[in-house]
């Protein structure tokens, strides 16, 4: 009887240790998964920000085209000014929300240095946001009045809304 | 019989420990080998910035007879810089100065390490900016510029991470 009891305790001890190891292993696994999911979320936010930048760079409303010939990576300054003014009105901004979401898009001329041109094309910043990813890209700015191409940048700040 | 049961139990215990340690090591290796979250998108961004910079810079109109940078570099490559630009500079020096301004106002302000160089003709090979870093991780773009049939120069912009 005594021997059987010792055996039982032995078996129970093995089971208890086994379940401790199992719970420890599961906790470790879920911790790893949690950090992996956080990393994936950060990557998705980066990709989404990059998507918005690419959409801004290839907007047909701003392209430099002449006799159906389109110049790559180029914004027409007059089109930027007019679209920017249009997007200040709420009804038009709502239409572009599907394209740009919560973001701010600014176009700035850097060369020639003696001419200043800086225009906010789109601005929709949420009241509360948990992160902001800023991206800049060089572009050509076509000045139709003077018929010359200037050098500038487009800055896109994409906001991740706090939930 | 008892001895046999005992040894079987011992081995079972060892097997369980080994399995748990192997699973733990698998997760640890997977965790350690994964790249940091933003690295893949940063590489694509830098590649796009390099390509867009070269594209935009070459087509930018300058005050040197309203020639763009591409035309000034073509003149520099072909003739060594016979065109006289504002400030009594030849086309090579003038193009170099304008490229420097654009690089300073973009990549330098954004704190990006870069190396800009041109290959293909003695006149343009003197135009380099930044410091090369052969062992660094980089995104590079090469933009060929034809000067005349069979003769082209190549602009290269490397952005280091």
């Amino acid at each position: 009887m005594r021997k059987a009891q010792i055996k039982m305790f032995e078996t129970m001890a093995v089971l208890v240790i086994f379940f401790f190891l199992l719970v420890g292993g599961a906790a470790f696994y879920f911790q790893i998964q949690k950090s992996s999911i956080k990393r994936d979320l950060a990557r998705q936010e980066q990709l989404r920000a990059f998507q918005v930048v690419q959409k801004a760079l290839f907007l047909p409303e701003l392209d430099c085209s002449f006799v159906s010939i389109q110049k790559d990576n180029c914004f027409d300054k007059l089109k930027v000014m007019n679209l920017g003014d249009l997007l200040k009105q709420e009804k038009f901004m709502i239409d572009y929300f599907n394209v740009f979401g919560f973001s701010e898009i600014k176009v700035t001329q850097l060369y020639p240095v003696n001419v200043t041109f800086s225009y906010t094309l789109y601005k929709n910043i949420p009241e509360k946001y948990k992160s902001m990813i800023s991206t800049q890209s060089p572009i050509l700015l076509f000045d139709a009045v003077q018929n010359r191409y200037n050098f500038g940048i487009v800055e896109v700040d994409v906001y991740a809304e706090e939930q | 019989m008892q001895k046999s049961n005992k040894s079987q139990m011992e081995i079972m215990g060892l097997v369980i420990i080994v399995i748990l340690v192997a699973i733990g090591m698998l997760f640890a290796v997977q965790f350690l080998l994964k790249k940091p979250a933003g690295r893949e998108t940063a590489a694509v961004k830098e590649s796009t910035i390099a390509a867009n910079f070269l594209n935009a810079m070459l087509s930018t109109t300058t005050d040197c007879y309203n020639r763009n940078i591409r035309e000034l570099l073509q003149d520099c490559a072909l003739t060594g810089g016979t065109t006289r630009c504002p400030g009594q500079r030849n086309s090579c020096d003038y193009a170099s100065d304008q490229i420097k301004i654009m690089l300073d106002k973009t990549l330098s302000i954004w704190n990006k390490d870069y190396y800009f160089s041109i290959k293909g003709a003695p006149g343009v090979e003197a135009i380099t900016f930044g410091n090369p870093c052969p062992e660094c991780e980089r995104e590079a773009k090469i933009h060929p510029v034809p000067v005349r049939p069979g003769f082209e120069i190549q602009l290269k912009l490397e952005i280091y991470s």
Side-chain angles (χ1 to χ4, degrees):
Chain A
M1 185 68 168
R2 231 184 137 73
K3 250 187 177 175
Q5 277 174 342
I6 290 168
K7 272 264 175 244
M8 282 287 287
F9 278 128
E10 250 181 48
T11 310
M12 274 172 59
V14 165
L15 280 171
V16 163
I17 290 168
F18 176 73
F19 279 115
F20 263 121
L21 284 173
L22 198 69
V23 165
F28 181 67
Y29 171 78
F30 287 126
Q31 205 54 32
I32 299 276
Q33 283 295 88
K34 197 172 151 186
S35 66
S36 176
I37 287 169
K38 269 190 186 160
R39 205 201 324 273
D40 279 342
L41 273 171
R43 199 168 73 91
Q44 286 303 320
E45 272 177 25
Q46 294 266 3
L47 282 172
R48 202 173 65 84
F50 189 65
Q51 253 183 6
V52 172
V53 173
Q54 291 296 93
K55 283 178 191 173
L57 285 176
F58 289 98
L59 263 185
E61 293 90 320
L62 303 175
D63 67 4
C64 307
S65 53
F66 180 72
V67 197
S68 306
I69 299 167
Q70 201 175 319
K71 198 157 182 74
D72 278 343
N73 196 34
C74 178
F75 285 176
D76 188 316
K77 276 164 85 167
L78 289 175
K79 291 181 185 177
V80 166
M81 285 170 10
N82 282 299
L83 185 63
D85 290 338
L86 208 64
L87 290 180
K88 284 186 174 92
Q89 298 172 44
E90 204 172 312
K91 58 180 179 176
F92 295 111
M93 190 164 76
I94 288 170
D95 286 340
Y96 279 81
F97 182 76
N98 290 331
V99 181
F100 297 130
F102 289 113
S103 63
E104 185 178 3
I105 301 171
K106 271 196 292 219
V107 177
T108 309
Q109 180 173 306
L110 299 177
Y111 178 94
V113 294
N114 51 350
V115 176
T116 35
F117 175 85
S118 183
Y119 226 79
T120 300
L121 191 63
Y122 174 88
K123 187 172 180 175
N124 189 359
I125 302 173
E127 275 176 28
K128 285 184 186 167
Y129 56 90
K130 63 175 193 268
S131 67
M132 189 267 281
I133 298 170
S134 185
T135 312
Q136 298 94 355
S137 183
I139 47 158
L140 266 177
L141 288 170
F142 177 58
D143 187 339
V145 173
Q146 299 196 351
N147 192 25
R148 61 180 285 159
Y149 290 93
N150 300 325
F151 182 87
I153 55 167
V154 60
E155 290 175 83
V156 181
D157 300 334
V158 178
Y159 296 85
E161 204 186 1
E162 205 174 273
Q163 273 141 20
Chain B
M1 204 54 152
Q2 237 176 346
K3 263 189 188 171
S4 156
N5 273 348
K6 241 187 172 175
S7 52
Q8 278 172 356
M9 286 289 285
E10 294 273 347
I11 288 172
M12 271 292 289
L14 270 169
V15 164
I16 289 170
I17 300 285
V18 166
I19 289 171
L20 286 172
V21 167
I23 290 171
M25 277 179 65
L26 209 76
F27 281 119
V29 162
Q30 195 187 27
F31 183 73
L32 288 167
L33 287 180
K34 247 187 177 163
K35 267 189 180 174
R39 195 59 218 119
E40 300 109 338
T41 44
V44 174
K45 266 190 199 174
E46 279 158 11
S47 176
T48 308
I49 287 172
N52 287 351
F53 181 89
L54 288 176
N55 207 21
M57 182 264 289
L58 282 169
S59 296
T60 301
T61 311
T62 66
D63 290 330
C64 182
Y65 303 106
N66 278 342
R67 292 278 172 258
N68 58 34
I69 300 282
R70 180 187 284 107
E71 287 162 336
L72 291 176
L73 289 175
Q74 284 166 338
D75 179 73
C76 179
L78 208 54
T79 67
T82 51
T83 303
R84 287 289 142 196
C85 293
Q88 295 303 310
R89 286 168 287 182
N90 63 27
S91 53
C92 303
D93 293 338
Y94 189 81
S96 175
D97 291 343
Q98 307 316 301
I99 293 170
K100 179 92 175 57
I101 291 172
M102 288 182 242
L103 283 168
D104 285 346
K105 286 192 172 290
T106 50
L107 299 179
S108 299
I109 285 182
W110 300 338
N111 287 322
K112 293 212 185 279
D113 294 321
Y114 64 88
Y115 180 62
F116 175 85
S117 61
I118 310 179
K119 297 259 180 298
V124 293
E125 282 176 8
I127 302 174
T128 61
F129 299 104
N131 301 306
C133 179
E135 63 272 7
C136 299
E137 221 177 284
R138 79 195 88 156
E139 291 300 319
K141 281 293 171 198
I142 296 174
H143 197 300
V145 173
V147 178
R148 62 162 187 238
F151 176 31
E152 71 173 28
I153 55 174
Q154 290 197 336
L155 279 73
K156 186 176 184 183
L157 178 60
E158 297 175 5
I159 300 179
Y160 304 113
S161 43

